[in-house]
């Protein structure tokens, strides 16, 4: 995941993350990482239209968004 975070900062690229919130709820967000910190990422959240901090220990998946019609690679 570190590579995905670093590339998002470098290329200002939007990524999708799946994380467990403080309230212990699963959430999927599209974000652009602003800072890659040792224990967290500071990112602009497209859904909330605000800058948010996401703890890395609560991020379970991070991947680049796919271009085109919004379909993910391998999706039917």
């Amino acid at each position: 995941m570190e590579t995905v975070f670093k590339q998002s900062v470098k290329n200002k690229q939007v990524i999708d993350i799946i994380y467990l919130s403080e309230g212990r709820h699963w959430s999927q967000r599209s974000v652009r990482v602003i800072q890659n910190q040792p224990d967290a990422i500071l990112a602009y959240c497209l859904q909330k239209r605000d800058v948010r901090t996401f703890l890395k220990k609560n991020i379970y998946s991070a991947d680049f968004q796919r271009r085109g019609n919004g379909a993910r690679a391998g999706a039917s």
Side-chain angles (χ1 to χ4, degrees), residues 29-30 43-52:
R29 301 285 179 89
S30 296
Y44 179 78
C45 176
L46 277 67
Q47 283 84 352
K48 297 294 184 179
R49 296 182 181 166
D50 196 11
V51 175
R52 301 290 169 107

Side-chain angles (χ1 to χ4, degrees), residues 1 5 15-20 26 31 39-41 53-63:
M1 282 191 284
F5 300 147
I15 62 172
D16 290 325
I17 63 170
I18 297 175
Y19 78 101
L20 192 59
W26 290 102
V31 302
D39 296 327
I41 59 170
T53 300
F54 299 93
L55 297 176
K56 287 182 178 179
K57 68 180 183 179
N58 292 342
I59 299 174
Y60 288 83
S61 174
D63 199 4

Side-chain angles (χ1 to χ4, degrees), residues 20-25:
L20 192 59
S21 69
E22 288 181 10
R24 309 301 290 170
H25 295 102

